[in-house]
Amino acid sequence: MSWTREKELFLNLSAAESWIKLDEPGEPRPIGMALVDFVIVERERTIMVEVKDPSDQGAPERERHSFVRRLSGDEYLAGRLIPKARDSYCYLHLMGLDDKPILFVLLLGLERTPVEAAQLLATKERILSKLRWESDRPWSHPYVKDCAVVTVDGWKRYLPKYPIKRCAPRER
């Protein structure tokens, strides 16, 4: 199996037709664009994946809880997540890679921080709403077909053909 890493989370994306690590340090990317972590290309759809991992080994408990609170507010979504999805779509569009429906997935490493399923669903709905309507009127071209907000366990159920595991820094 071929594993790729985002902090302490390792994903096996070998079942995809192709995939790109968009925010790879050292790779030439347009200056000023905020890009998602991964783009997974399947036969029927393209999946943009943003990973947020507040449960990594170095994160103190107060930081993990602070992240969950920020996730509940619009400022974090509008200021950090939505621009990454929009800029990543622009990148895919300009590279001619936007020929399939796009799914935006926010993968949350929250194993050590309790979060309710209802909060994940509410976050999904708020992200999807903002992806479709960022200014005084909705986009004429809705570029994201759907959105999912999943924990590591949720990823295993939602996208089972892409195994995921957590490895502590010493296991890398």
Side-chain angles (χ1 to χ4, degrees):
M1 283 194 205
S2 173
W3 294 87
T4 188
R5 180 179 96 207
E6 185 64 29
K7 296 188 180 181
E8 294 177 4
L9 295 176
F10 286 69
L11 295 101
N12 182 328
L13 303 177
S14 60
E17 280 189 6
S18 64
W19 62 275
I20 309 164
K21 186 158 177 33
L22 276 187
D23 73 344
E24 184 71 58
E27 288 295 317
R29 299 286 188 247
I31 294 171
M33 283 188 140
L35 301 173
V36 297
D37 297 307
F38 299 99
V39 173
I40 303 169
V41 179
E42 297 180 331
R43 196 166 69 82
E44 300 292 326
R45 66 183 176 182
T46 299
I47 306 168
M48 298 189 308
V49 181
E50 177 62 15
V51 179
K52 295 297 177 196
D53 189 16
S55 284
D56 71 15
Q57 294 293 328
E61 184 175 356
R62 70 180 180 285
E63 264 184 47
R64 295 191 311 266
H65 290 286
S66 172
F67 174 79
V68 172
R69 280 192 304 279
R70 282 195 317 272
L71 197 58
S72 298
D74 285 343
E75 185 177 326
Y76 182 77
L77 297 184
R80 300 288 296 263
L81 293 178
I82 303 308
K84 284 188 172 205
R86 181 185 355 97
D87 287 0
S88 297
Y89 168 75
C90 287
Y91 177 84
L92 293 174
H93 177 74
L94 293 170
M95 298 303 286
L97 301 172
D98 65 332
D99 58 342
K100 300 173 185 176
I102 295 177
L103 169 67
F104 176 73
V105 177
L106 176 59
L107 170 59
L108 301 171
L110 289 173
E111 302 93 322
R112 295 173 38 204
T113 307
V115 63
E116 299 292 325
Q119 183 179 356
L120 297 178
L121 182 59
T123 301
K124 172 218 185 238
E125 293 301 325
R126 287 182 16 256
I127 289 172
L128 195 55
S129 173
K130 290 186 181 314
L131 286 170
R132 293 180 175 164
W133 191 321
E134 286 188 73
S135 63
D136 62 336
R137 59 186 174 166
W139 293 119
S140 297
H141 179 75
Y143 59 97
V144 172
K145 180 154 178 71
D146 202 3
C147 171
V149 178
V150 296
T151 61
V152 171
D153 285 340
W155 174 278
K156 292 173 184 177
R157 289 186 302 276
Y158 193 71
L159 295 165
K161 67 181 178 179
Y162 305 116
I164 187 170
K165 65 182 178 179
R166 178 177 295 282
C167 293
R170 64 184 173 284
E171 297 176 52
R172 295 179 181 160

